[in-house]
Amino acid sequence: MSTGTLLAIIIPIVVVVALAAVAVSLLIRRRHLRERFGPEYERTVEGSDSRLAAERELRERERRHDSLDIKPLPPDSRDRYTREWSSVQEEFVDRPQDAVHDADQLVTSLMHERGYPTEGFEQQTKDLSVEHGATLEHYRAAHEVETLSTRTQATTEQLRGAMVHYRALFDELLSDGGGRAQHARF
C-alpha cells in the first residue's frame, strides 16, 4: 500500500476517534453538572442562550465556589441556630410577616457563618447552587414571598409556605450538606 493510501485511511480514522473522544468528554461533563446542580442545571439551561453557555456558567459557579472557604458549623453554633429557628417559628403565630423576615435574615446569617458571600440574592443563589441545587427553588420561593411581605401583599398561607421553604434550606445548611438535620418541622 502506498503512503498516500495509508494516510487517506488513517487520517479519517484519527478524526473520527478524536470527535468521539470530544463527544464522550462533553457527555461526561454534562452528566457531572446535572448530578451536581440537580434542578438548577435545567433552570440555567432554560435561561441561557445555549446549553454550552449554560454549562460554561455552571462550571464558573463551581470555580467560584471552590475558591470560597465553606466550613462546617461548630456544635455550639449549630445549637444556637437551632434555638433561633425555634424562636422564629414561635414568632410566626403572632407576627407572621416579621417571622418570615427574621427567617430570611437567619438563613442569610447561617450562610455567612458557613462562609458563603451574602452580597446579593442573585449571587447567593449562584453560590448555593453548587452544593444546594436541590433546595434552591425553596429559597427562591421563600424570597419571593418575603419580597411580597415587605409590601404587605403576602397572605398568611403564603407566609406559612415561605417558612417551610426557608426551613428546607436552613436544614440543609445546618447539616453541612451531610444527612438532613433532625429538627421538628414547621
Side-chain angles (χ1 to χ4, degrees):
M1 233 191 265
S2 72
T3 305
T5 306
L6 202 52
L7 286 176
I9 294 171
I10 293 175
I11 289 174
I13 291 173
V14 169
V15 169
V16 168
V17 168
L19 288 174
V22 168
V24 168
S25 173
L26 287 173
L27 289 174
I28 289 171
R29 189 179 310 163
R30 184 168 291 157
R31 184 170 10 134
H32 162 76
L33 290 172
R34 276 192 169 131
E35 289 172 1
R36 182 142 197 205
F37 286 91
E40 185 66 11
Y41 174 88
E42 290 302 326
R43 186 182 209 296
T44 304
V45 168
E46 288 172 11
S48 184
D49 295 336
S50 71
R51 183 174 299 276
L52 290 177
E55 290 175 353
R56 193 171 26 258
E57 178 186 333
L58 293 173
R59 285 191 305 277
E60 179 54 38
R61 289 183 194 183
E62 283 182 314
R63 280 191 285 284
R64 176 179 160 90
H65 184 273
D66 291 346
S67 72
L68 300 175
D69 184 23
I70 307 298
K71 54 196 168 290
L73 290 174
D76 60 327
S77 291
R78 187 183 317 271
D79 292 344
R80 177 176 47 83
Y81 278 106
T82 300
R83 286 189 306 275
E84 288 180 31
W85 183 264
S86 293
S87 177
V88 168
Q89 281 187 169
E90 291 171 10
E91 177 184 26
F92 185 83
V93 173
D94 294 323
R95 296 183 319 279
Q97 287 183 332
D98 292 342
V100 167
H101 179 71
D102 291 347
D104 181 70
Q105 288 184 326
L106 188 59
V107 166
T108 301
S109 175
L110 176 54
M111 288 171 52
H112 180 73
E113 189 166 338
R114 290 280 319 274
Y116 288 96
T118 55
E119 65 261 8
F121 179 74
E122 286 305 315
Q123 189 59 54
Q124 287 175 355
T125 58
K126 287 178 181 181
D127 292 337
L128 287 169
S129 71
V130 178
E131 287 188 5
H132 305 284
T135 56
L136 209 49
E137 280 307 309
H138 287 288
Y139 188 44
R140 284 188 178 102
H143 183 75
E144 184 178 316
V145 172
E146 200 274 335
T147 300
L148 286 173
S149 173
T150 60
R151 298 187 309 246
T152 62
Q153 296 175 337
T155 66
T156 302
E157 186 57 28
Q158 287 173 313
L159 294 169
R160 188 196 68 73
M163 292 293 290
V164 172
H165 290 308
Y166 276 126
R167 183 57 185 254
L169 180 59
F170 178 84
D171 281 348
E172 195 165 295
L173 287 168
L174 198 65
S175 70
D176 298 327
R180 300 273 185 235
Q182 298 299 317
H183 302 289
R185 292 280 171 213
F186 185 76

